[in-house]
Amino acid sequence: MLFHVRMDVQIPADMPADVANEIKAREKAYSQNLQRSGKWPHIWRIVGEYANYSIFDVASNAELHEILTGLPLFPYMKISVTPLCRHPSSIRDDES
């Protein structure tokens, strides 16, 4: 199942820099492991914002929920999820 996910990060301004940097380092490692596994095939930064658009390829809604809530930055995010399916006019055969 494919999902389009927008993540807006809102780290509190009063969070100590060392704490924020440690969380960001864990976030990077977590997300890169998911990218390597194929569950997070695309991630794009939104210019001028602390936000991203991502595509997830997972087995179920529950798996996506588990992945998103496992993000170290999850407590500081606003997340919007849109389920996707293949468009009948697509010329590609490799889409889920």
Side-chain angles (χ1 to χ4, degrees), residues 1 3-4 9 18 20-23 27 29 31 34-35 40 43 52 64-65 68-69 78-79 85-88 94:
M1 299 176 74
F3 294 90
H4 172 268
V9 182
D18 60 328
N21 289 337
E22 188 273 330
I23 294 170
E27 180 86 7
S31 71
L34 287 164
Q35 289 172 66
W40 194 337
I43 181 171
N52 73 75
L64 179 62
H65 181 77
L68 295 177
T69 58
K78 176 184 173 194
I79 298 175
C85 66
R86 188 176 192 284
H87 194 283
D94 62 345

Side-chain angles (χ1 to χ4, degrees), residues 69-87:
T69 58
L71 290 165
L73 284 170
F74 178 76
Y76 312 105
M77 288 183 173
K78 176 184 173 194
I79 298 175
S80 301
V81 177
T82 304
L84 301 172
C85 66
R86 188 176 192 284
H87 194 283

